[in-house]
Amino acid sequence: MVRNPTMKDVAHEAGVSLKTVSRHVNGETNIDPDLAGRISAAIVKLGYRRNLSAASIRPGRTGKTIGLVISDLANPYYSTLARAIESVADAAGYLVTIASSEEDGRRHDRLVDRLMEQRVDGLIVVPPRRAARDWADVAAPIPPLVLLDRPVSYAGADAVLADNAGGARAATLALARAGSRRIAFVGDSLDIYTMRERHAGYAAALAEAGLGGAGDLLTITTAHTREQAEREVGAVLRDDSADALFAANNRATIGALLAFQQAGRRLPLVGFDDFETALLGDPPVSVVSQDIELMGRTAAELVLGRLNGDTSPFATRVLPTRLILRGSEKHHTCAGS
Amino acid sequence: MVRNPTMKDVAHEAGVSLKTVSRHVNGETNIDPDLAGRISAAIVKLGYRRNLSAASIRPGRTGKTIGLVISDLANPYYSTLARAIESVADAAGYLVTIASSEEDGRRHDRLVDRLMEQRVDGLIVVPPRRAARDWADVAAPIPPLVLLDRPVSYAGADAVLADNAGGARAATLALARAGSRRIAFVGDSLDIYTMRERHAGYAAALAEAGLGGAGDLLTITTAHTREQAEREVGAVLRDDSADALFAANNRATIGALLAFQQAGRRLPLVGFDDFETALLGDPPVSVVSQDIELMGRTAAELVLGRLNGDTSPFATRVLPTRLILRGSEKHHTCAGS
DNA sequence: TTGTACGCGTTATCAC
DNA sequence: GTGATAACGCGTACAA
């Protein structure tokens, strides 16, 4: 293995001093064209690449890297988010180091610590459902921090959230308006903040529509995976315990569709989060859509803003959701277009 | 903003020397319990976090980071890949810095350079369809490098590929076996290596099945997006120019399904790459499935192996694909279960 | 077992 | 305009 050439090597090769090479590399202007040429030649000849890792230890310099901790990069929701963040970061000259917490509090904390030890410039984080450590217990200095999908539990961070309750409420009301009376909530554990919010919106809509009483009985929070969602919805179909479904996330929606297919029978359905093949359903699947890219861009812009000296008070941005009705929210007595 | 406490601060606070703190932090054993206690206390009191970025400039030390350059993190194929890589890397104590090249050669090269300047320990890369720079022109030393989805064009790298041609051949043969005679290829530009391979497999299958002549006329390579795929397949349906489709990637498959829905009529179809909602089709969509997670794990393990001193000859791993027939490859004269 | 002194690759200060 | 020289935060001979 060849050693990485250093500035010193370049300086030696070009017959100039270290500082002059540094100037050249950093694009400073006060430099003799002749020397500049010799330095360029030496850089090419030796294949010199500057060591940003070394440069970043100087005070005021950084590695221009943003750390991102999400639940699971394989989940399209998070990869879309990550892509939007990466896009904004890249435009500002930042790299993004991404890590998946798997919704495990300890793992999450370990990854956050590692990123801080790596001295990332900023941190964008989706806190796990059960945090193991409070941000208030993390020693200063903490880099600019943006919390995603969770309310600010810490005074020193900005937050970006979708209007989960509002979206769920709109979805549930749409089902009620289409004539459903026993609307079930199919989702994941209410330990998860977004689930709690979506369930609150669902419950509020039931109350508004005068369907309040049945809410508890119709709440399913064990749809942790697509398979579980499919089983739960299958049971609902067998028992006829509900006449419509609000699927509180993507996995629940797809699980429900699989159960419908299995049973050869469907219920009115609205899902939270749009997905690529929602249009392919028969009827196409109605959804509450959140602008995931906007969430990512907003988070990245908040971090970059702080890095650029923005000292305005920490704030929470709540982004609207949009109800997209495609037909699946209605009753379909029999198959057919 | 508070300054980050350094080892020197901790040493001062604990009344010991720098080296002793360094020992403590690095988990060495030869250390007086009393001093160890004082150091621990000082670390907690000051909120000391070691600066791995600084530590990594020492010879033999690194930032324990792997760089990953893909086309687009928002594409589920790449996010699945990235997740698998991240998973293996994390288990070995490595972080992953991810960047999207958007299939732009210059952008790709810029990102690779940046990652090398950041002194990543290894590099996993999906070369863009039209590379702007050859790896042979990149100055040594290059960190352990694994190429994904592309053949090795460079002697110093390992590569991981799926058996694109074999999968495409199997898909096309399945369509032929089900009775189709004019099987169209719907995909992206043949500039892309995987597309070229898939098209070669398709053409080989046509020849094998005695359907060779029509191959060129039935090759569509302008399905760059889902929308374009939908339009192209719509045209095929109108013209009746084909009696079956091999969709060479996910976007093409979904575009075709949308076109089918639009036209109220479908053709036998097999797609390349499985997708979450393939089961929801009516009939469910037959696909060639590649084990994306295995590809990611393999790539990560290759890099980590090299980092651990594996000096075996550079090699290309070709991973098998699997044909999953779910029904959509057959002719369906009319709707019905 | 602990401390001193130096080097890692880079940037910044300040003379020349 | 250019070049010694001193940091930056940490790890490691080597000496104590």
Side-chain angles (χ1 to χ4, degrees), chain B residues 71 77-78 81 125-127 146-152 159-162 164 192-195 197-198 290 292 295 317:
Chain B
S71 300
Y77 174 77
Y78 292 111
L81 209 49
V125 158
V126 179
V146 172
L147 269 29
L148 277 177
D149 277 348
R150 305 286 185 269
V152 269
V160 179
L161 299 168
N164 289 283
I192 303 172
Y193 172 78
T194 50
M195 279 296 143
E197 285 292 298
R198 291 171 198 176
Q290 28 182 348
I292 308 177
M295 291 187 66
R317 298 250 200 300

Side-chain angles (χ1 to χ4, degrees), chain B residues 217-289:
Chain B
L217 291 170
L218 292 172
T219 294
I220 296 169
T221 57
T222 49
H224 311 303
T225 66
R226 190 182 64 192
E227 287 75 14
Q228 281 180 301
E230 183 179 353
R231 275 197 295 276
E232 296 288 359
V233 173
V236 167
L237 289 169
R238 273 195 306 281
D239 303 351
D240 194 36
S241 51
D243 65 357
L245 302 180
F246 168 56
N249 67 19
N250 238 312
R251 294 189 296 281
T253 307
I254 292 172
L257 292 171
L258 286 167
F260 291 169
Q261 178 173 272
Q262 202 75 26
R265 189 166 82 82
R266 55 181 305 125
L267 292 176
L269 170 73
V270 179
F272 206 107
D273 261 350
D274 206 354
F275 57 103
E276 208 180 5
T277 50
L279 284 168
L280 287 173
D282 178 32
V285 181
S286 299
V287 296
V288 176
S289 161

Side-chain angles (χ1 to χ4, degrees), chain B residues 19 22-31:
Chain B
K19 173 59 193 164
S22 174
R23 269 207 260 280
H24 180 88
V25 166
N26 286 29
E28 294 179 35
T29 49
N30 339 338
I31 184 167

Side-chain angles (χ1 to χ4, degrees), chain A residues 7 48 51 58:
Chain A
M7 263 192 176
Y48 169 74
N51 185 335
R58 302 308 314 280

Side-chain angles (χ1 to χ4, degrees), chain B residues 158-191:
Chain B
D158 294 299
V160 179
L161 299 168
D163 178 14
N164 289 283
R169 176 177 164 278
T172 310
L173 285 178
L175 289 164
R177 210 173 296 124
S180 297
R181 311 294 315 274
R182 293 172 297 131
I183 305 167
F185 175 99
V186 184
D188 204 337
S189 163
L190 298 187
D191 279 349

